[in-house]
Amino acid sequence: MTVPVCHVVKGRTITGADLDYGRFATPALNLDELVWPRREPGPAFDTPLAEIMDVLVALGERLTRDPDGLLAEALERGSRTSPLPRDVLERSFAGLGRLFDRRSMAFQVREELGGADVLDGWREVDDAPSGRRHRIRAFPPRLIHVIAGNAPGVAGMSVMRGALTKGVHLLKLPSNDLFSATAILRTLTAVAPDHPVTRSFSAAYWRGGDVKVEGVLFRPQFFDKLVAWGGESTIRSAKEYIGPGFELVAFDPKTSISMIGREAFASEATLADVAERAATDATIMNQQACASSRVQFVEGTLEQVDRYCALLQKRLGVERATTSAIGNPLPSHLRDEIDGLRDMQPHYRVWGGYEGKGLVIRSEEPVEFHPDGRVVNVVPVESLASAVSHANVATQTVGVYPSSRKAQLRDGLAAAGVQRVVELGGAVAFEAGISHDGFYPLQRFVRWVNDEG
Amino acid sequence: MTPTRHQLLEMIPDPDLAFDQPASDIEPLQLRAAQELFETRRAQIPLVARRAEEAGITRIDKLQDIVPLLFAHTVYKSYPPSFVEKGQWGRMLQWLQTLSVADVRGVNVDGVKDVDDWIGRLWEAGHLVLATSGSSGKCSFLNHTRADSEMKKRHFRHAVGWPFVKSNADRTVFWLGPIHGPNSACEAARFNAENFGRPGHTYALSDEPLRIAEVSRMAALRKKMADGSATPAEIEGLEQQGARKAVEGRDAMLKLADAILDQRKEPMMVAGMWAQYMMLIARARERGIGDGEFHPDTVVNAGGGVKGIALPPDYKEQVDRFFGKVVRPAAYGMTELAQVMPRCEAGRYHRAPGLIWLILDRDGERLLTAADGEDGVVEGRFGFLDLLYEGRWGGLITGDKVTVDFKPRCPCGRHGPTLFDTITRFAQVGEDDHIGCAGTVDSYIRGAIAA
């Protein structure tokens, strides 16, 4: 049964099933409507930030209440096309409104840009060594966002950051989340019909890499930057178009790990707590997220580590805010890899089956394949310091237990490429306003323009 | 060997009959043979036993019962690569054991230097392990016995060239690749040399043995790239080594091209890749040799991937014109399969009685039948159980998308199901443009090492 996907163009909802992609169908694309002419400023370029925040707060409240049933419809349709289980989608949608929190947004503007003044107007710089007086502005940008679809929050974050920076924004829908972005934008229309912010957003689907679309749109004549989330193929194909005047802002594809100190074995209760925390980090968005832990380094004897593995495996099959109790059964290529290890005791040991309730592999070194679908690879180590060498440029989050050991590990991890060190169990708690994937997104979104004295 | 299997496999010496068998006659025998084989292998190969147990299969009563027992090709490279990097050859034996019938654990691995050495020791002990020099940098290892190899050679003798030409060990054979080495392409070249070649008249692109260790070195550097310990000089060295090999390959190819052109008036057998034939044509032009100058009884096998090689869009037509009226047989096969499927006059691939076809849905879970298509023509994923192997389990699920015609007769007039000559690959699982923020260090490695 083909699921209908709508587009949103500058506040208007476009329906239709002109283009059939098999599992779903979309309206025809009118490329002319998806750009904002450069000859005129974007609708919200001169809207005061305070007014934009009022609209966003109202958007958050309406998303939480969902009086028009827009999120309910997105859930209904999304559960037919999303790889995520319905209950995880449902809880994610229920939490979307909380993103648009006034204090959080003010914090982001302050931490990332130094305050609203530089968005609303020209900030004086009066202590330059030359003695000249300059004025700078975080000027609203024209952005295409190729968003990730493994968590509805990505669409929410993109709308929030896009609105705060006042620019014009075209969101390319991913095929694994065809409904979150449009549900948010349709709710925005309901909150503030015809408001400049509402007219500053569009969201549409085209097949990623489609040269007929991207070859036309990915040009400095229409947009300043491409904001790409993960998706190696997106970033690789974007390379074709990146050039003078058209820049890439990449939230690179990432993987995450955990480091568990010998303190975990202080008592049975402590170990149970550690296993629960580690399972929480491993199952974020059913292990589809960049912050989901996949490899865990544990200080301990083989006997201790095996005890931990058994406990961890049991906790992987527990329902939490960002995970269902059971995921999809493991894909056959992973099953093949793991089957190859089952008869390799004592060098390898495997806990759990392939039904999607969680599986743990203990090995002397990290496995070569990418643990996915609720699979965790546990590697015993002499010391956490020796595990630092396993972090690399693809490592995003490292969850550490106990928290007190972060300080001794963080510089080494950062040198290896790591972007984020958290207390074990806290990997999911992203704080908007501090750095994300190694940079301050609002700073990268805007165009910095000078009026030099 | 069990009686029904024996009966089916013993049909190949008469290929005109073997490739012309009604499905209604063969399939009950295939099913019985599969049950006989399963009964035996379940007790011998741990992974077959585990798959059977998980799927609750205790007997093969119908073709669908075989489906959960099929391995993916990745099973044959599911060993941890650190075993190879660290020279833990005993552990590699332990791994190979889980996929082998014979006991390989006793093979002496003292003093083994590298992976080629390890394979050499296995061959000495009668375990003829074939390696794929996989482009991913990780090799598969597939065990089979000396008797399997003999049976496979016999199958090639009768199936390669069918129905156009019979092997008679009476011609010069040119093989545009290396002929020595534990690889299925080298093995096929040796079979063709023995089956078709006049003794002493086989010429290969290289007589140096194919070194699997070079592939492993590539994989090892890849790992160093991933963990951040590779130096710029190491990367440069590897890229240059690749360039040097390409030049050496070109020189050898030119020599061989001249030899082929010199003998073009004699019936011979030539087997190579499309890109190599384009080089042959270029050399012929330099020498003023035109199209269609080859002896009409010459057998030309062409094939191979053309990924990443710049070829003119009409390369197939150019090659066709160049060789002119020669014998151009073709077959569908792969490393994991012994009983290759030759292509008939109607352009369809036929199966030998000892090869069970399992045409599956996209996900590889459900067996498709004539009812799943129109007029008996069905598109699906290719799986098979090759009844020939004594050394390992012959059941495999591939990534190949095939179209099968279940109608009782092929347009060539022979009985039995056939495959169309339209084989492509299924897209990776994950499909569409699903975008996630999760990724691996693979995305951060490029160049020759990324392959």
Side-chain angles (χ1 to χ4, degrees):
Chain A
M1 176 66 196
T2 310
V3 184
V5 170
C6 73
H7 290 165
V8 172
V9 176
K10 300 170 185 171
R12 285 178 298 120
T13 302
I14 313 287
T15 55
D18 307 277
L19 303 177
D20 193 334
Y21 291 95
R23 289 178 308 131
F24 60 92
T26 73
L29 274 184
N30 181 344
L31 297 186
D32 285 359
E33 289 199 322
L34 294 182
V35 300
W36 289 260
R38 265 206 195 267
R39 284 179 295 110
E40 50 197 70
F45 278 20
D46 291 314
T47 308
L49 187 68
E51 182 183 325
I52 293 175
M53 283 203 194
D54 286 345
V55 169
L56 292 178
V57 169
L59 168 65
E61 286 166 1
R62 197 172 181 105
L63 284 170
T64 302
R65 286 187 294 119
D66 192 29
D68 312 307
L70 293 170
L71 282 182
E73 182 190 294
L75 174 66
E76 207 46 57
R77 294 183 178 174
S79 60
R80 285 150 65 188
T81 56
S82 170
L84 288 171
R86 189 191 168 97
D87 64 312
V88 176
L89 268 187
E90 192 167 3
R91 288 192 292 275
S92 299
F93 280 154
L96 269 181
R98 286 199 295 275
L99 274 177
F100 301 89
D101 172 74
R102 192 184 296 272
R103 275 184 62 207
S104 168
M105 291 190 288
F107 176 74
Q108 287 173 65
V109 171
R110 195 188 76 220
E111 283 297 307
E112 300 196 35
L113 301 172
D117 61 321
V118 79
L119 282 168
D120 280 342
W122 296 82
R123 177 185 287 164
E124 293 274 344
V125 180
D126 53 14
D127 59 350
S130 65
R132 294 155 62 200
R133 293 168 69 88
H134 306 304
R135 284 151 294 271
I136 58 164
R137 187 172 172 195
F139 204 77
R142 297 165 186 271
L143 304 181
I144 292 194
H145 303 253
V146 176
I147 62 173
N150 53 335
V154 173
M157 294 282 273
S158 299
V159 170
M160 177 177 59
R161 287 172 173 156
L164 291 177
T165 47
K166 303 188 182 181
V168 294
H169 303 276
L170 171 58
L171 278 60
K172 186 253 177 240
L173 303 173
S175 64
N176 47 340
D177 182 5
L178 293 159
F179 303 99
S180 303
T182 48
I184 294 166
L185 293 181
R186 292 167 79 188
T187 307
L188 180 62
T189 302
V191 165
D194 214 35
H195 188 274
V197 171
T198 308
R199 287 185 285 119
S200 296
F201 282 92
S202 295
Y205 178 81
W206 62 85
R207 199 181 282 280
D210 183 344
V211 270
K212 286 209 294 292
V213 179
E214 298 182 353
V216 173
L217 293 181
F218 289 13
R219 289 173 188 274
Q221 286 71 21
F222 304 125
F223 294 99
D224 301 321
K225 310 184 193 202
L226 173 68
V227 181
W229 283 77
E232 182 189 351
S233 58
T234 313
I235 291 174
R236 295 230 184 271
S237 83
K239 232 172 40 180
E240 298 288 313
Y241 306 110
I242 299 307
F246 190 65
E247 182 187 334
L248 176 67
V249 178
F251 294 94
D252 283 339
K254 292 289 178 182
T255 183
S256 295
I257 61 176
S258 310
M259 292 192 171
I260 294 164
R262 61 185 80 259
E263 294 87 339
F265 300 100
S267 70
E268 281 310 305
T270 309
L271 192 62
D273 174 49
V274 169
E276 168 61 21
R277 287 164 175 269
T280 305
D281 283 357
T283 53
I284 299 170
M285 300 319 283
N286 280 20
Q287 212 180 33
Q288 295 300 294
C290 40
S292 316
S293 171
R294 297 167 199 274
V295 184
Q296 304 188 341
F297 300 93
V298 182
E299 271 179 355
T301 65
L302 205 56
E303 178 276 320
Q304 286 176 318
V305 173
D306 281 1
R307 208 145 44 82
Y308 166 75
C309 291
L311 280 173
L312 174 64
Q313 194 274 331
K314 288 205 177 68
R315 301 308 298 167
L316 289 174
V318 173
E319 182 179 302
R320 298 184 185 81
T322 62
T323 189
S324 54
I326 304 182
N328 298 323
L330 284 197
S332 58
H333 70 272
L334 267 180
R335 199 179 69 163
D336 289 340
E337 295 276 8
I338 297 164
D339 269 342
L341 303 176
R342 281 193 190 265
D343 295 305
M344 297 298 299
Q345 286 205 50
H347 315 302
Y348 290 81
R349 197 167 159 191
V350 179
W351 290 261
Y354 303 125
E355 68 285 351
K357 286 198 279 194
L359 183 147
V360 177
I361 305 159
R362 186 258 292 147
S363 60
E364 293 164 14
E365 284 206 40
V367 296
E368 286 290 311
F369 54 89
H370 185 56
D372 200 10
R374 227 179 272 258
V375 173
V376 177
N377 178 207
V378 173
V379 180
V381 289
E382 286 279 308
S383 70
L384 294 187
S386 67
V388 169
S389 66
H390 290 293
N392 61 39
V393 289
T395 314
Q396 182 202 57
T397 301
V398 181
V400 178
Y401 185 89
S403 191
S404 57
R405 294 188 65 181
K406 285 188 303 186
Q408 87 192 107
L409 296 168
R410 64 192 175 203
D411 287 334
L413 289 169
V418 166
Q419 296 168 335
R420 189 168 170 251
V421 184
V422 303
E423 179 177 20
L424 188 72
V428 76
F430 271 104
E431 176 88 57
I434 58 174
S435 82
H436 184 149
D437 278 359
F439 61 93
Y440 288 100
L442 296 187
Q443 264 192 22
R444 289 287 302 280
F445 277 21
V446 299
R447 288 177 57 232
W448 292 98
V449 183
N450 304 336
D451 166 3
E452 302 185 17
Chain B
M1 188 173 291
T2 53
T4 321
R5 268 176 75 210
H6 187 75
Q7 181 189 347
L8 289 168
L9 292 168
E10 284 309 313
M11 291 171 79
I12 196 67
D14 185 354
D16 290 333
L17 202 62
F19 291 118
D20 184 13
Q21 289 290 324
S24 52
D25 290 358
I26 288 299
E27 272 164 18
L29 293 173
Q30 287 188 334
L31 207 53
R32 200 185 317 151
Q35 160 57 20
E36 290 172 1
L37 188 64
F38 168 65
E39 201 60 49
T40 317
R41 294 291 177 261
R42 183 165 57 157
Q44 294 166 327
I45 303 176
L47 194 48
V48 174
R50 174 155 343 103
R51 289 283 165 88
E53 194 184 328
E54 275 167 17
I57 303 285
T58 52
R59 263 190 72 80
I60 307 290
D61 289 321
K62 51 190 183 307
L63 288 180
Q64 174 68 45
D65 295 339
I66 308 174
V67 177
L69 307 175
L70 299 180
F71 295 173
H73 72 101
T74 42
V75 158
Y76 293 102
K77 55 175 171 185
S78 66
Y79 59 91
S82 60
F83 288 3
V84 175
E85 283 150 28
K86 295 183 173 170
Q88 293 169 323
W89 307 113
R91 291 191 183 184
M92 280 301 285
L93 292 179
Q94 190 185 348
W95 169 80
L96 188 63
Q97 189 60 58
T98 65
L99 296 163
S100 299
V101 171
D103 193 341
V104 299
R105 283 166 301 188
V107 172
N108 180 9
V109 290
D110 291 344
V112 165
K113 287 195 309 294
D114 60 16
V115 67
D116 294 290
D117 235 9
W118 178 69
I119 297 170
R121 298 288 180 87
L122 282 157
W123 277 60
E124 281 167 26
H127 311 294
L128 309 192
V129 169
L130 289 183
T132 62
S133 48
S135 57
S136 65
K138 193 177 179 190
C139 304
S140 304
F141 297 109
L142 295 101
N143 201 359
H144 68 326
T145 67
R146 210 173 289 282
D148 287 344
S149 184
E150 287 302 320
M151 289 282 278
K152 190 173 172 185
K153 182 162 69 187
R154 184 184 73 166
H155 182 87
F156 271 60
R157 185 179 310 139
H158 300 294
V160 173
W162 182 91
F164 307 102
V165 61
K166 276 194 160 70
S167 61
N168 200 24
D170 58 356
R171 53 178 76 218
T172 304
V173 173
F174 288 99
W175 161 244
L176 310 188
I179 195 163
H180 300 296
N183 168 281
S184 66
C186 299
E187 185 195 45
R190 294 194 294 271
F191 291 164
N192 284 341
E194 281 191 51
N195 292 334
F196 282 88
R198 192 147 48 97
H201 283 78
T202 290
Y203 303 94
L205 183 65
S206 167
D207 289 324
E208 291 286 303
L210 182 83
R211 304 269 305 156
I212 302 300
E214 279 169 21
V215 181
S216 305
R217 261 199 293 283
M218 182 89 90
L221 181 59
R222 218 175 158 283
K223 192 165 181 205
K224 289 182 76 176
M225 286 285 287
D227 69 21
S229 63
T231 67
E234 282 177 306
I235 296 163
E236 190 197 10
L238 187 116
E239 304 260 356
Q240 280 182 356
Q241 187 192 327
R244 204 164 47 238
K245 283 195 99 70
V247 172
E248 285 167 10
R250 264 201 298 279
D251 290 347
M253 179 60 213
L254 272 182
K255 263 177 69 183
L256 206 58
D258 275 334
I260 294 170
L261 295 170
D262 290 345
Q263 299 191 46
R264 64 188 183 280
K265 303 293 182 196
E266 306 292 321
M268 52 184 171
M269 179 184 222
V270 188
M273 311 271 224
W274 292 109
Q276 294 174 312
Y277 287 150
M278 293 309 289
M279 285 174 76
L280 179 66
I281 294 174
R283 182 64 186 152
R285 299 299 181 246
E286 281 173 23
R287 293 178 48 177
I289 297 168
D291 287 338
E293 296 198 12
F294 286 83
H295 191 285
D297 290 336
T298 284
V299 177
V300 177
N301 288 318
V306 293
K307 198 177 139 202
I309 304 169
L311 290 175
D314 63 339
Y315 66 94
K316 282 193 181 177
E317 290 77 11
Q318 286 198 40
V319 171
D320 287 350
R321 273 201 309 275
F322 177 66
F323 284 111
K325 258 188 72 73
V326 294
V327 185
R328 295 287 296 273
Y332 172 43
M334 58 202 81
T335 295
E336 294 86 352
L337 175 143
Q339 301 180 71
V340 294
M341 296 158 265
R343 193 174 69 188
C344 72
E345 301 89 339
R348 305 276 191 94
Y349 296 106
H350 289 248
R351 67 171 182 197
L355 182 67
I356 301 176
W357 281 357
L358 299 153
I359 310 301
L360 308 168
D361 64 351
R362 186 191 173 84
D363 298 328
E365 284 164 9
R366 187 171 69 84
L367 190 76
L368 302 182
T369 63
D372 291 290
E374 269 180 42
D375 192 29
V377 176
V378 178
E379 184 183 274
R381 184 182 288 272
F382 186 62
F384 62 84
L385 176 60
D386 191 328
L387 295 168
L388 182 146
Y389 288 111
E390 285 289 293
R392 69 164 186 270
W393 180 235
L396 193 91
I397 178 166
T398 75
D400 288 351
K401 187 197 267 187
V402 298
T403 307
V404 63
D405 188 345
F406 283 116
K407 285 196 290 294
R409 270 177 192 266
C410 174
C412 76
R414 297 182 187 88
H415 295 88
T418 51
L419 295 181
F420 285 72
D421 192 11
T422 53
I423 298 159
T424 55
R425 305 283 299 166
F426 268 107
Q428 280 294 323
V429 225
E431 53 181 75
D432 293 350
D433 56 330
H434 283 202
I435 299 176
C437 58
T440 68
V441 77
D442 294 349
S443 312
Y444 297 74
I445 297 173
R446 64 184 156 77
I449 306 117

